[in-house]
Amino acid sequence: LKFTDWFDEFVCIGFPILDEGLSAFSDMYKRAVVTNAVLVQSGVRTPGATSLGNVLALGQHNIRFLNLSKNQIGDQGLNMLVMGLSKGRRVVPTLCFQNCGITSAGVKSLMSLLSKPAWMREFRALDVSDNRIKKEGSTYIAKWLSETSATALHLKNCELDTEQVFKAIINNSRCVLEVFNISGNKIPKTKEILLGRVLESTTTLKEISLRKIHMTKRLLPLVFCAAFENKNNARLSIDISECGVGESGSKIILDLFSKRRRKMRGILPVTTNISSLDLSGNALGGKGICNVIDALLDTDIEHLALDRNFRSSFFSSTNNSVGEALKRCMTDYPSLKGFSIVGDDSSHLGKIAFPMLKSIAKNTSLTRINLASNRLGDEGLKILADSISENSTITSFDVDRNRISMTGMRHLERMCQKNKSLTDWVVPMNDIVKLFKNSQDKYIIEDLLHIFEDSMDANDSANMNLNGSTNHNRNKPSFTGSMSNLSSLNGEAWHESVVTRNRKDTRQFGGLKSTLRLKRLIAGQQMLSSSTDLTHEGDEAKIAKRNTTTTMGNTFHEEKRQAADSVHDSMEHKIDGTLAPKQVKRDRGEEDVCRMSEGNVKAKILPLSKEHSDEKSPAVLPRSWNFAEEEDSNGHPDELPMDLHISSDDDDGDHDDPLAHV
């Protein structure tokens, strides 16, 4: 890898390369072509950070984005990286050290580096979330904030002294902060006014996350009023999810927006300076949801999230009113582009969502909608499919985990054939996997996946041609340290967000990330059906047929076939969908068993002939296992869909046991 010129990113997420691995990989960063280093949750500690720091000290690197999140490098490891970056005299514009065991001592060292003139000019984004920075560390950060020109700062769950941080932002006349995350930190009641001043005076701020900060009766109206009164008409994205707003807080929101509407004197849409509002997980209840939706009617809000707020009850009198309120989201929100109301085990809409699903057909602004985990069922899927078939603006939606059967999948298939605007919708993989396990014909489900994927690709290509786009790098994943990439690390699904920017690989937040798992299940089912045939049809004709269809001309000894046939009904073996060999067992030299880890697929591996036992030529599985459906011109099966190489390596030179090692 240290000689590479054909890639610019090295990404390792959740794979334990440890300190030894990072030491071995370090030389790769001497190559100027490698600009992004992502080593998340890779078991790196102080020695690994020291090795990387030594390479950075040479000044030969061209790294623009360094992410060592979820590695316990500690203050000592961070100090070694800071020393290397300082000696190398090359600025890395984006640094991410989320959950790295850093304290105020490490922050002091880091801020001394970022305060240097060159870093002040070029540095752009910092993430030190989930580290115990506390009050002393807050002092160092505040001093740097008062002078920096960084555009993104993530300080989630850092036990901050928020007063110092807010004052530093207010006093920085050159502040160009665009993304600011202080989720999970406490704001003293006497200092809440400082947050209001930050929101009211900002000229550049676009995203602010206040997640898990308790919204008191004073702080909640302060946040909204400060956004309303912003003199620079900033379009803010505000996240106040899991803040304990409740039904009482929803009444405050309704009252605030009603006053704003009266102040606008009938001018529509009502200007709020808020582009996106996330109220997920606030226990709003049915009445609270109605209050929020009524408050935001005819406003300029473009994205609204109300996930996990509704508690369904068969006898509740608010069910009908919630359904009508959700319908108004589709008809009376002129600027709404994205809407999310995800449920869970105790929070789902069911038939309450049907009026809203019907109204989607005539909506002309919505582009994305998320209705996952709402138990819509096949009936709800039919209504949604009919509506989306008529809609020409929606490009993405998510209906996973909605108890969808094959009937519902057929509705989605029909929708794909009619709608030409869907380019990136989330395939309901959780429901598909459940269907696969209970389905008799596995290939129907596999065909559905191809239909879904092909329709999105066709629509995507058509839209590109229509717009005259010639950007060939549109699907290339990037770790350039942009605000969206960095902020995605702070969500609960950070590992999915980071990996799934390329739609060709998988849909973001769910989608086709389970495609590989499904393919393994399909392959396992093929082995199961083939093995069952061999077990039940153990006559001489079946055995002869099996031997004549072996791949690459492999043949079996006659005595081996007879011995194997005698134990067909007594042997039980397991092969897992992951196809990761774990154990090999011998039974009197008559038959070899490969035991793998997951699933319950039964099969048998018979010994190969001596002439094909050379370890340099891995044997191929018998044709009777039916891994490949087509054969080439020489009568050999096509390339197998997974790697399972069988070779021998006897110490005594005797090759009578070709399957001794798998």
Side-chain angles (χ1 to χ4, degrees):
L1 291 178
K2 64 182 180 181
F3 300 109
T4 180
D5 283 325
W6 59 86
F7 70 89
D8 58 4
E9 298 174 349
F10 180 74
V11 180
C12 179
I13 299 177
F15 185 82
I17 63 172
L18 306 178
D19 296 324
E20 296 83 355
L22 183 56
S23 299
F25 287 139
S26 294
D27 285 342
M28 173 177 54
Y29 298 115
K30 296 178 183 178
R31 308 288 290 178
V33 68
V34 182
T35 58
N36 304 310
V38 179
L39 303 164
V40 176
Q41 199 174 0
S42 300
V44 178
R45 294 183 180 272
T46 301
T50 302
S51 300
L52 183 58
N54 292 336
V55 173
L56 298 177
L58 299 176
Q60 300 175 3
H61 70 89
N62 191 31
I63 297 176
R64 313 299 293 169
F65 179 48
L66 176 61
N67 186 351
L68 290 174
S69 294
K70 299 184 183 292
N71 292 295
Q72 295 302 307
I73 61 174
D75 293 337
Q76 186 177 355
L78 181 60
N79 289 338
M80 299 306 298
L81 288 172
V82 168
M83 289 175 59
L85 290 169
S86 180
K87 291 180 180 179
R89 297 184 180 181
R90 291 212 175 187
V91 176
V92 180
T94 303
L95 296 175
C96 189
F97 300 111
Q98 181 183 142
N99 192 9
C100 288
I102 300 171
T103 65
S104 57
V107 170
K108 179 180 179 181
S109 175
L110 181 60
M111 292 302 124
S112 65
L113 172 68
L114 301 184
S115 298
K116 293 185 176 181
W119 286 78
M120 279 290 189
R121 290 192 305 269
E122 301 180 35
F123 187 73
R124 290 295 174 264
L126 174 66
D127 187 350
V128 289
S129 298
D130 298 315
N131 292 293
R132 302 186 66 183
I133 294 175
K134 296 188 173 181
K135 184 175 183 178
E136 185 179 356
S138 302
T139 303
Y140 302 127
I141 292 178
K143 183 178 179 181
W144 169 72
L145 263 178
S146 61
E147 301 175 353
T148 185
S149 58
T151 56
L153 179 61
H154 296 268
L155 301 171
K156 179 188 71 172
N157 297 331
C158 289
E159 303 179 28
L160 286 177
D161 181 358
T162 51
E163 178 185 359
Q164 295 188 58
V165 175
F166 292 154
K167 287 183 177 179
I169 295 175
I170 295 170
N171 295 331
N172 186 354
S173 58
R174 299 177 299 172
C175 181
V176 291
L177 206 60
E178 297 179 3
V179 180
F180 186 39
N181 186 348
I182 55 169
S183 299
N185 293 289
K186 294 182 179 180
I187 302 178
K189 292 183 178 180
T190 57
K191 308 301 178 183
E192 292 174 346
I193 189 65
L194 293 175
L195 175 59
R197 290 178 59 188
V198 170
L199 295 176
E200 186 175 347
S201 60
T202 181
T203 60
T204 59
L205 194 62
K206 297 179 180 178
E207 300 178 21
I208 182 167
S209 179
L210 306 173
R211 185 170 178 259
K212 291 187 177 181
I213 295 178
H214 181 64
M215 288 290 151
T216 63
K217 293 183 178 180
R218 181 184 180 188
L219 182 58
L220 183 62
L222 187 65
V223 170
F224 285 104
C225 289
F228 294 160
E229 301 301 327
N230 185 280
K231 300 177 181 179
N232 302 290
N233 296 322
R235 299 290 291 160
L236 287 171
S237 175
I238 302 177
D239 181 358
I240 51 175
S241 58
E242 301 182 43
C243 291
V245 174
E247 184 179 336
S248 59
S250 70
K251 294 178 181 178
I252 295 175
I253 295 174
L254 177 60
D255 184 56
L256 290 171
F257 279 82
S258 298
K259 292 180 179 178
R260 181 67 176 176
R261 188 174 287 103
R262 289 193 295 269
K263 187 175 181 179
M264 295 295 295
R265 297 180 180 179
I267 300 176
L268 298 177
V270 178
T271 303
T272 62
N273 296 328
I274 300 174
S275 63
S276 175
L277 180 61
D278 190 344
L279 287 165
S280 302
N282 274 299
L284 297 178
K287 293 182 179 179
I289 290 176
C290 293
N291 289 337
V292 170
I293 292 176
D294 290 340
L296 304 181
L297 289 176
D298 297 320
T299 61
D300 59 351
I301 288 181
E302 298 177 353
H303 302 276
L304 175 63
L306 298 173
D307 303 342
R308 304 181 307 279
N309 275 302
F310 181 68
R311 292 292 179 267
S312 57
S313 174
F314 181 78
F315 300 101
S316 176
S317 59
T318 61
N319 288 352
N320 291 334
S321 58
V322 171
E324 291 301 318
L326 292 173
K327 180 181 178 180
R328 290 196 292 275
C329 279
M330 301 296 106
T331 58
D332 298 333
Y333 277 52
S335 304
L336 191 65
K337 296 180 180 179
F339 180 67
S340 176
I341 186 164
V342 177
D344 54 29
D345 292 337
S346 59
S347 172
H348 50 270
L349 295 172
K351 294 184 178 181
I352 297 174
F354 287 3
M356 176 187 65
L357 300 181
K358 294 178 181 178
S359 62
I360 291 177
K362 297 182 179 179
N363 185 284
T364 58
S365 63
L366 198 67
T367 59
R368 306 178 69 89
I369 186 169
N370 191 343
L371 300 168
S373 301
N374 274 301
R375 301 187 185 181
L376 299 178
D378 295 335
E379 185 180 357
L381 261 291
K382 182 181 184 303
I383 298 173
L384 180 64
D386 291 339
S387 297
I388 293 182
S389 297
E390 300 178 17
N391 188 288
S392 60
T393 60
I394 290 183
T395 60
S396 177
F397 69 93
D398 186 352
V399 289
D400 202 5
R401 301 181 301 278
N402 269 293
R403 299 187 175 183
I404 306 172
S405 70
M406 185 56 70
T407 303
M409 295 298 171
R410 292 302 182 190
H411 294 319
L412 293 178
E413 179 185 7
R414 173 174 50 84
M415 173 203 66
C416 288
Q417 295 172 351
K418 291 184 178 181
N419 187 285
K420 302 302 179 184
S421 63
L422 291 171
T423 57
D424 196 15
W425 61 282
V426 180
V427 175
M429 284 304 303
N430 285 278
D431 291 321
I432 286 179
V433 170
K434 290 180 181 178
L435 282 177
F436 177 85
K437 292 180 178 178
N438 301 320
S439 175
Q440 298 297 325
D441 193 344
K442 313 298 179 181
Y443 295 101
I444 294 179
I445 299 175
E446 192 174 13
D447 291 341
L448 275 175
L449 282 176
H450 290 304
I451 291 173
F452 294 157
E453 189 78 353
D454 292 344
S455 67
M456 282 185 274
D457 288 338
N459 292 343
D460 204 5
S461 300
N463 291 337
M464 288 179 63
N465 294 334
L466 185 63
N467 296 329
S469 174
T470 58
N471 184 6
H472 300 290
N473 297 321
R474 62 188 304 275
N475 284 319
K476 179 183 178 182
S478 174
F479 289 92
T480 56
S482 66
M483 300 309 101
S484 58
N485 289 338
L486 187 59
S487 61
S488 66
L489 290 174
N490 293 275
E492 294 176 355
W494 62 270
H495 52 286
E496 297 177 6
S497 310
V498 172
V499 177
T500 59
R501 274 177 309 285
N502 186 354
R503 189 184 67 78
K504 295 295 183 182
D505 294 333
T506 171
R507 297 297 180 275
Q508 189 168 357
F509 297 122
L512 287 181
K513 69 184 178 204
S514 301
T515 299
L516 181 59
R517 176 186 174 195
L518 188 65
K519 287 182 177 179
R520 287 170 175 168
L521 288 172
I522 292 172
Q525 184 64 23
Q526 290 175 344
M527 287 192 293
L528 176 61
S529 60
S530 300
S531 173
T532 304
D533 292 342
L534 288 176
T535 303
H536 293 294
E537 301 179 23
D539 53 35
E540 293 297 332
K542 190 64 181 180
I543 295 175
K545 179 181 178 181
R546 177 190 61 202
N547 293 330
T548 56
T549 56
T550 54
T551 62
M552 302 296 292
N554 293 329
T555 59
F556 297 94
H557 292 300
E558 183 62 23
E559 60 274 13
K560 297 289 185 180
R561 292 201 305 268
Q562 294 175 357
D565 184 62
S566 64
V567 295
H568 270 321
D569 297 328
S570 61
M571 298 289 294
E572 289 187 358
H573 317 298
K574 295 182 179 180
I575 288 187
D576 184 329
T578 61
L579 294 173
K582 294 186 68 176
Q583 178 182 354
V584 176
K585 180 180 178 182
R586 304 281 301 173
D587 186 4
R588 300 179 182 178
E590 296 176 346
E591 186 164 351
D592 293 275
V593 180
C594 179
R595 185 179 300 275
M596 314 213 175
S597 55
E598 185 183 279
N600 290 306
V601 181
K602 300 178 181 178
K604 299 181 180 179
I605 303 178
L606 299 180
L608 301 181
S609 61
K610 180 178 180 181
E611 59 182 312
H612 292 288
S613 63
D614 188 357
E615 65 178 3
K616 295 181 180 179
S617 303
V620 209
L621 295 177
R623 173 63 174 166
S624 57
W625 276 27
N626 198 24
F627 273 109
E629 291 303 320
E630 298 180 358
E631 296 182 351
D632 60 18
S633 58
N634 296 322
H636 298 151
D638 292 337
E639 183 181 359
L640 298 179
M642 54 195 68
D643 296 329
L644 179 60
H645 299 297
I646 306 172
S647 62
S648 65
D649 187 15
D650 293 339
D651 295 335
D652 56 359
D654 183 9
H655 294 281
D656 290 337
D657 298 328
L659 295 184
H661 297 276
V662 178

